[in-house]
Amino acid sequence: MDTLPPLSALPSGGRLTVDLSALVGNWRTIRSRVGAAEAAAVVKGDAYGIGLEPAARALHAAGCRTFFVALPRGGVRLRAVLPDAVIYVLNGFFDGAGPVYTAARLRPVLGSRAEVDAWLAETGGSGEPAAIHVDTGMNRLGLTRDEAVAVAADAGLLARLRPALVMSHLACADAPGHPLTAEQIRRFTEVRALFPGVPGSLSNSAGVDLGPEVHHDLVRPGIALYGARWAADRPPLEPVATLEGRLIQVNEVPAGAAVGYGAAFRAERPSRIGIVSVGYADGYLRRAGASDAGPGASAAIGGMRVPLAGRVSMDMLAVDLTDAPAELCRRGGWVELFGRTVPVDEVAGHAGTIGWELLTGIGDRYERRYVGG
């Protein structure tokens, strides 16, 4: 039997093109907006779906030195390609994984008194770097204010802990004028004063344009780096990811003919329907599809928008190519599902979700191409 080619060389139903130059440009834009604060990079969720290692290498080469991941395994992957970076684990310290944190020089973001105690027990109070997360109103992770006061007042504990960062997380900064944002800013300023000399971090992407009282010493942009919208009143930066699907068949269907499962969509005129080899198994959400009751998301071919036709199925979706140039509508061609012509947030909106979910849900069946950087 002949030797089979590697899986990466086999045909794919879709391809993801990642513009690393756009990623770096977005980081530099953010850095220019935050004054003297350091601009870190949040690369959790496989760098929001675009690939942790290539994204981190490009950002590090541009000057980014501090990174945030969600889990220890992300930190270990990151350490393998960035031996000198500062790496924080946002989901904190996982019991039993102490040797991993030590060997990979990962800094847990400690979000409860129990977690602080577990970290000190693991490290023997040797002062291994860690962050303290204080809840300022999100009620997700973080020490309460009273717990933070107790930690700050315990000189012996602080001497063993020696926090490298005190941080919190904005819950509603993407909604202009939300009253909780001002309250969180006030609470964090008070809490940070309990830890003199320790750098502070409050700003996620949504806080970048809110000024120095949010920036503190370090900002933690995530979704803004990847070119999706991070706040209702601010336009996204440069798109980084372009998702395309391969045309595997083009059908001429008569007026009134049903397309896809459930006969939920019927052609209103004689139509050219393209079948694209991408579906919800690839992370393209089913709710983005179209029906007679209302339009779904758009796609694009040759820079021209075309509507989806019918439901998204597991491995395929259909697009209406009737108005597109016939020479583009051929088997083997490519259809943009989101990218520069069709913004990821627009597709996400049709699916009833946000750009974060669409990006991080990108599956592993795509051919991946990296350009720029």
Side-chain angles (χ1 to χ4, degrees), residues 85-162:
V86 173
I87 303 172
Y88 285 98
V89 179
L90 287 164
N91 285 23
F93 176 60
F94 288 73
D95 293 340
V100 174
Y101 286 79
T102 301
R105 289 174 286 119
L106 307 180
R107 300 183 179 188
V109 177
L110 305 174
S112 69
R113 182 57 192 264
E115 203 169 16
V116 169
D117 292 341
W119 176 247
L120 289 175
E122 181 67 40
T123 60
S126 60
E128 294 287 335
I132 295 176
H133 187 152
V134 181
D135 176 48
T136 55
M138 193 171 189
N139 290 299
R140 193 175 62 171
L141 296 177
L143 279 74
T144 66
R145 184 186 184 281
D146 289 346
E147 288 174 330
V149 168
V151 168
D154 189 333
L157 184 151
L158 276 182
R160 291 182 293 127
L161 182 61
R162 289 190 288 178

Side-chain angles (χ1 to χ4, degrees), residues 19-345:
D19 187 342
L20 295 174
S21 294
L23 175 70
V24 166
N26 291 345
W27 178 80
R28 287 174 172 155
T29 295
I30 291 168
R31 185 181 61 178
S32 73
R33 294 181 181 181
V34 297
E38 178 186 355
V42 178
V43 292
K44 62 184 180 178
D46 199 28
Y48 287 62
I50 71 169
L52 174 63
E53 288 83 358
R57 287 192 190 100
L59 289 165
H60 188 269
C64 184
R65 293 294 178 265
T66 302
F67 296 81
F68 289 81
V69 297
L71 301 169
R73 65 180 60 193
V76 169
R77 285 175 59 188
L78 190 55
R79 180 60 72 206
V81 297
L82 299 183
D84 63 337
V86 173
I87 303 172
Y88 285 98
V89 179
L90 287 164
N91 285 23
F93 176 60
F94 288 73
D95 293 340
V100 174
Y101 286 79
T102 301
R105 289 174 286 119
L106 307 180
R107 300 183 179 188
V109 177
L110 305 174
S112 69
R113 182 57 192 264
E115 203 169 16
V116 169
D117 292 341
W119 176 247
L120 289 175
E122 181 67 40
T123 60
S126 60
E128 294 287 335
I132 295 176
H133 187 152
V134 181
D135 176 48
T136 55
M138 193 171 189
N139 290 299
R140 193 175 62 171
L141 296 177
L143 279 74
T144 66
R145 184 186 184 281
D146 289 346
E147 288 174 330
V149 168
V151 168
D154 189 333
L157 184 151
L158 276 182
R160 291 182 293 127
L161 182 61
R162 289 190 288 178
L165 186 70
V166 58
M167 59 176 278
S168 192
H169 193 69
L170 294 169
C172 302
D174 58 335
H178 197 289
L180 181 56
T181 301
E183 184 64 18
Q184 285 193 275
I185 292 170
R186 183 189 66 77
R187 291 173 182 172
F188 185 71
T189 300
E190 291 179 355
V191 167
R192 192 188 164 194
L194 300 172
F195 300 91
V198 179
S201 177
L202 177 61
S203 175
N204 50 12
S205 291
V208 164
D209 292 327
L210 298 185
E213 63 178 357
V214 177
H215 297 158
H216 291 271
D217 298 294
L218 180 144
V219 300
R220 311 184 309 272
I223 193 66
L225 293 174
Y226 305 97
R229 183 178 294 276
W230 69 91
D233 62 340
R234 277 154 275 172
L237 301 179
E238 287 296 307
V240 172
T242 298
L243 191 72
E244 297 171 288
R246 189 191 299 269
L247 275 173
I248 53 175
Q249 190 163 313
V250 179
N251 302 321
E252 301 292 334
V253 304
V259 177
Y261 279 119
F265 175 93
R266 291 183 181 273
E268 295 181 350
R269 56 180 176 167
S271 301
R272 180 186 303 120
I273 301 296
I275 308 303
V276 179
S277 186
V278 167
Y280 56 76
D282 303 287
Y284 192 90
L285 300 176
R286 184 173 182 270
R287 288 184 63 186
S291 72
D292 291 341
S298 294
I301 188 165
M304 177 183 177
R305 282 174 171 260
V306 294
L308 264 63
R311 294 177 180 172
V312 176
S313 55
M314 182 180 289
D315 307 296
M316 287 172 277
L317 58 84
V319 290
D320 186 346
L321 301 174
T322 308
D323 295 326
E327 64 271 17
L328 299 179
C329 306
R330 295 178 178 173
R331 177 176 173 270
W334 293 94
V335 173
E336 178 190 312
L337 301 175
F338 62 74
R340 290 195 171 271
T341 306
V342 182
V344 64
D345 300 291

